[in-house]
Amino acid sequence: IDKTAPVFATAVTADGSFFGPTYVANFVVTFTDANGMLDSGSGPPAATVATNAADSSTVTDNLEVTVVYTFGNDEDEGEIQISCQPQDLAGNVAVATPFTVTTGSAKYDRTAPTVSTSVEGATYYGLDDEVVIVVTFEDGAGVGLIEDSPLPTATIMGAAATVTVSGLEVTIRQTLTSGSDEGSLYFTLDCEDDVGNVASQVTALTTGTDVIIDVVSPVLVSAVSSSPFYYKEGDTVELTLVFSDATVGEIESSPLPTATVMGDSSSPVVVVEAPLTVKVSYVIQADDTEGALTFSIVASDLCANPSVAVVALTGGAFAIVDRTAPTINTIAADADYYKDGATVTITLDMTETNPLVDPPDVTWMGDQIASVEDRVLSGNELTATYVIRTEDADADPVTVLISASDVAGNVLTVTEADVSELMIIDKTAPVFA
């Protein structure tokens, strides 16, 4: 006598943990029964999956029924409910109570994943930088996996990107080359979840950030020095560099451009004064080598693309270091004695590499009375003249003070003591004795 119907024990599947539309699943439903055997000769047991009739059900072992079902697109998402009503050899039919498929926490998912966040690591990317975009998805049914075999496909700036998948997170990467497109970041990501639900193509960052791609370095437009172009010890030379940059249009100010002037990289003061203008100031030191100012300046744009080192001024501009004052080569007067109304002429020949300020300052007899016509500078030679005045005292020496400056401001001071002639005023005629 057997009055007890078979009792559901387990429902398992070896076809995976997640199922989507069109998936065919094979479920093995196990029962317990007092006489230990189901009736395999009474026809297929009634069976449903997700409340829908199964494709087939077959008693495949003493206490097992295999249920086959093809999922559609309208089943409830989440855990899969299955019911099966085999009968035992006594004809007792199992109760049609749905049970949850237990092994692997099997679930059904017909909803495509949606983007939760898509973020990048920086705002500006330059040549050889790696652009990294991390896209995180949500999946309402709890599948929790983006398909990784095959991998999603992605592009960055129109070129194929490398893709990695971890759960619901997809990371796409690309290292920029000289051939990469420039401008605002654009990308694509196409993927699906683990059961084939295709997500909408991802093409935008959820942060709303405008990410800039620039693989071309700033180009120098002009490099000039401040007037007067000749510099002595203690003078400040200021270099102004103007660049062009088609994409970013701005020079990075943190960190500042690098500058070395006269071999010194610690003293120059660097300022990014306008988006594309760099100013470098440097004070000439006592040990700086004389001659053309030497420098090397490198400026980068906001994408860290460095310019070619700027080592020369443009457009004929120049900057000369001159720390040495003119020196006396020779100085002579045209006589030793001068009477009233006579003209004193001094010729001063100087040694100087750079131009002299014309005309030098000349003071006669303690008074600044020389006109420009009385001071003639030809190259490094000065000719200065003075006419003895009535008020100049008899027997006094002719005093002169010459201040000759080169264009850098180094000054040579000359007095009558430097003149080999006596230069004495003599207004008295010889007297018969």
Side-chain angles (χ1 to χ4, degrees):
I1 298 173
D2 180 2
K3 299 181 178 181
T4 304
V7 177
F8 173 84
T10 62
V12 300
T13 177
D15 294 330
S17 298
F18 301 102
F19 300 89
T22 74
Y23 269 56
V24 177
N26 292 270
F27 300 99
V28 177
V29 186
T30 303
F31 292 84
T32 59
D33 187 75
N35 60 36
M37 185 174 293
L38 299 177
D39 184 2
S40 60
S42 59
T48 65
V49 176
T51 73
N52 295 320
D55 298 350
S56 65
S57 60
T58 305
V59 176
T60 52
D61 201 353
N62 288 344
L63 291 171
E64 289 182 355
V65 178
T66 297
V67 178
V68 179
Y69 178 73
T70 302
F71 284 94
N73 199 39
D74 58 356
E75 289 87 347
D76 288 341
E77 293 186 296
E79 294 180 339
I80 299 171
Q81 300 288 312
I82 188 169
S83 71
C84 184
Q85 293 182 276
Q87 65 181 30
D88 60 18
L89 295 177
N92 300 299
V93 178
V95 178
T97 301
F99 292 92
T100 301
V101 178
T102 55
T103 301
S105 301
K107 294 181 180 180
Y108 171 70
D109 177 13
R110 54 182 167 82
T111 301
T114 57
V115 174
S116 171
T117 58
S118 54
V119 298
E120 81 303 324
T123 303
Y124 298 99
Y125 291 91
L127 182 65
D128 296 328
D129 283 346
E130 184 182 48
V131 181
V132 180
I133 302 172
V134 179
V135 183
T136 304
F137 291 87
E138 294 178 345
D139 193 83
V143 170
L145 294 172
I146 297 296
E147 179 61 58
D148 60 0
S149 182
L151 283 166
T153 59
T155 65
I156 294 177
M157 305 305 284
T162 301
V163 180
T164 56
V165 176
S166 177
L168 285 169
E169 185 177 275
V170 180
T171 301
I172 63 177
R173 305 171 182 269
Q174 185 187 101
T175 299
L176 298 176
T177 69
S178 59
S180 297
D181 279 357
E182 295 187 297
S184 295
L185 173 70
Y186 64 90
F187 68 97
T188 63
L189 171 61
D190 294 285
C191 65
E192 58 186 49
D193 65 17
D194 208 33
V195 295
N197 298 301
V198 179
S200 297
Q201 186 179 68
V202 184
T203 60
L205 301 173
T206 56
T207 55
T209 305
D210 187 15
V211 178
I212 302 298
I213 306 298
D214 181 0
V215 296
V216 177
S217 297
V219 176
L220 181 70
V221 174
S222 65
V224 298
S225 64
S226 54
S227 176
F229 314 122
Y230 293 89
Y231 304 92
K232 66 180 184 301
E233 179 186 343
D235 283 349
T236 298
V237 56
E238 185 176 80
L239 304 177
T240 301
L241 282 64
V242 178
F243 294 87
S244 66
D245 190 90
T247 303
V248 175
E250 188 171 344
I251 296 299
E252 179 62 71
S253 60
S254 180
L256 285 164
T258 60
T260 299
V261 181
M262 304 303 287
D264 185 347
S265 60
S266 60
S267 299
V269 176
V270 181
V271 177
V272 178
E273 208 170 64
L276 290 168
T277 300
V278 177
K279 288 199 171 182
V280 178
S281 299
Y282 176 76
V283 177
I284 302 299
Q285 304 297 309
D287 57 353
D288 284 339
T289 303
E290 294 187 296
L293 184 81
T294 60
F295 59 90
S296 177
I297 301 167
V298 176
S300 298
D301 60 24
L302 296 181
C303 290
N305 300 301
S307 69
V308 174
V310 180
V311 297
L313 301 176
T314 61
F318 62 91
I320 302 297
V321 177
D322 182 355
R323 299 182 291 101
T324 304
T327 57
I328 299 173
N329 189 14
T330 62
I331 180 170
D334 60 343
D336 285 325
Y337 298 93
Y338 300 92
K339 66 179 181 178
D340 194 14
T343 299
V344 183
T345 301
I346 289 179
T347 302
L348 170 61
D349 183 61
M350 294 166 281
T351 299
E352 170 59 41
T353 302
N354 296 308
L356 294 166
V357 175
D358 188 14
D361 292 330
V362 181
T363 301
W364 293 98
M365 305 303 290
D367 299 318
Q368 184 75 38
I369 59 175
S371 67
V372 174
E373 290 75 15
D374 298 327
R375 297 167 286 166
V376 177
L377 183 65
S378 177
N380 287 343
E381 184 177 275
L382 169 67
T383 301
T385 59
Y386 171 70
V387 178
I388 301 299
R389 302 173 297 178
T390 303
E391 61 266 33
D392 292 331
D394 188 20
D396 281 351
V398 177
T399 62
V400 65
L401 175 64
I402 300 172
S403 180
S405 173
D406 60 26
V407 287
N410 301 296
V411 178
L412 165 65
T413 300
V414 181
T415 69
E416 67 276 3
D418 298 301
V419 183
S420 59
E421 284 74 21
L422 296 175
M423 294 200 308
I424 301 298
I425 299 173
D426 181 0
K427 296 184 178 183
T428 306
V431 178
F432 176 77

